[in-house]
Amino acid sequence: MAGFLQQVVQGLGAGAIYASLALALVLIYQFTGIVNFAQGELAMFSTYVAWQCMAAGLPFWVALPLTLVVSFAGGMLIERVIIRPVEGAPELTIVIVTVGLFIFVNAAAGWIWTFLIKDFPNPFPGGALELGGVSLSFSTLGVLGVVALVMGLLYLLFQHTKIGLGMRAVAANPASARLVGIRVGWTLALGWGLAATVGAVSGVLVAPLLFLEPNMMAGVLIYAFAAATLGGFDSPLGAVVGGLVVGVAETLAGAYVGFIGSDLKVGVPLVIILGVLLLRPQGLFGRAAVERA
């Protein structure tokens, strides 16, 4: 039993990282209806910004806020310069734009920082707590705490601030929001900036566990898509729950399903995506689309 619980704890730690990137995907989808295939690369680029700040001599907890500010501004700039011109275009056009953004950001990071692997410091202390034979590393607890904090701040933003209420109004009905005086264009840009900020948190959390290089978020993005699909692309809470479920499922499958092991774990999120699309396309917490005749 202790071994099983240890795998669950490890899965929750990994799932929290998937949840943070899935949350960024869901935020953009809620505001614009766009599935941003470049979200992982934006998170990777932000992580490089944090690494560059620390390489210049700044401590981690100073570099992180600066990185979040840069990420927020970058997300808004991308919406205004790249996404806004194709607003209202066919869905395939927007997909191609986000895939192109994926390629561009990946290449830009490699050009600026090279494709060599870099070490990224872990902001959390080493060691672990021992509870009933289960080891809870401070790193895992820190990741879970950060994701819980991000979720709590988003809740406060959307439920108790004027800006958040305006963003919810735009997400629900942009035309009606425009009629009551909400600046829909800038609100959409804020949504992209907010998603880029949340994605940056994901990149900073995953880099110490893997390594820092331009392709580090490719696998994480697959798990994030599975989490958002499972929870529902229109539900931030669903993205978090989905991320935790995907993380635990991946870890348990790798540990207890012999033919999967560590090599085929990436197949777990693909199976989850396929199963959800076949059985409940809107996800566990999503709302089914209803069209009036």
Side-chain angles (χ1 to χ4, degrees):
M1 177 59 75
F4 175 81
L5 292 177
Q6 185 66 59
Q7 295 296 328
V8 171
V9 169
Q10 292 179 0
L12 290 175
I17 296 174
Y18 307 151
S20 60
L21 189 60
L23 194 55
L25 290 169
V26 166
L27 287 174
I28 287 183
Y29 184 82
Q30 268 198 312
F31 294 123
T32 64
I34 294 174
V35 177
N36 183 16
F37 289 93
Q39 194 67 60
E41 301 309 286
L42 297 179
M44 172 273 297
F45 198 91
S46 296
T47 308
Y48 267 109
V49 172
W51 177 86
Q52 190 67 63
C53 290
M54 288 184 286
L58 295 178
F60 175 85
W61 296 110
V62 175
L64 179 59
L66 289 176
T67 300
L68 298 183
V69 171
V70 171
S71 301
F72 183 81
M76 291 188 66
L77 181 64
I78 288 172
E79 195 281 333
R80 302 297 292 184
V81 175
I82 298 176
I83 303 301
R84 182 62 55 85
V86 296
E87 184 179 5
E91 292 182 357
L92 181 58
T93 300
I94 298 176
V95 168
I96 292 173
V97 169
T98 61
V99 172
L101 183 61
F102 175 106
I103 297 171
F104 174 79
V105 174
N106 183 276
W111 177 61
I112 297 171
W113 291 288
T114 77
F115 286 87
L116 297 177
I117 294 175
K118 294 176 173 60
D119 290 327
F120 194 92
N122 195 327
F124 306 110
L129 294 176
E130 297 291 337
L131 296 175
V134 177
S135 177
L136 300 172
S137 71
F138 293 126
S139 178
T140 296
L141 294 174
V143 169
L144 290 169
V146 168
V147 173
L149 176 62
V150 169
M151 193 65 190
L153 291 175
L154 289 176
Y155 174 81
L156 293 176
L157 172 66
F158 290 130
Q159 297 294 331
H160 299 287
T161 69
K162 186 176 180 180
I163 293 176
L165 293 175
M167 296 176 77
R168 289 172 58 197
V170 170
N173 194 320
S176 298
R178 187 176 285 109
L179 289 175
V180 298
I182 297 176
R183 301 180 66 181
V184 173
W186 281 107
T187 303
L188 293 176
L190 283 174
W192 272 79
L194 188 62
T197 304
V198 175
V201 173
S202 174
V204 169
L205 290 177
V206 77
L209 304 178
L210 299 176
F211 41 75
L212 180 58
E213 61 99 16
N215 297 309
M216 73 171 190
M217 296 299 290
V220 179
L221 183 63
I222 296 175
Y223 290 101
F225 270 121
T229 304
L230 178 61
F233 262 92
D234 57 355
S235 172
L237 175 61
V240 174
V241 173
L244 296 177
V245 171
V246 169
V248 172
E250 171 218 7
T251 303
L252 292 180
Y256 296 107
V257 181
F259 68 91
I260 292 180
S262 60
D263 296 327
L264 295 179
K265 289 196 297 183
V266 73
V268 173
L270 299 179
V271 170
I272 292 174
I273 291 174
L274 181 60
V276 173
L277 292 179
L278 290 175
L279 300 176
R280 188 177 171 84
Q282 70 271 28
L284 297 177
F285 295 86
R287 296 185 298 271
V290 178
E291 296 184 1
R292 296 181 179 179

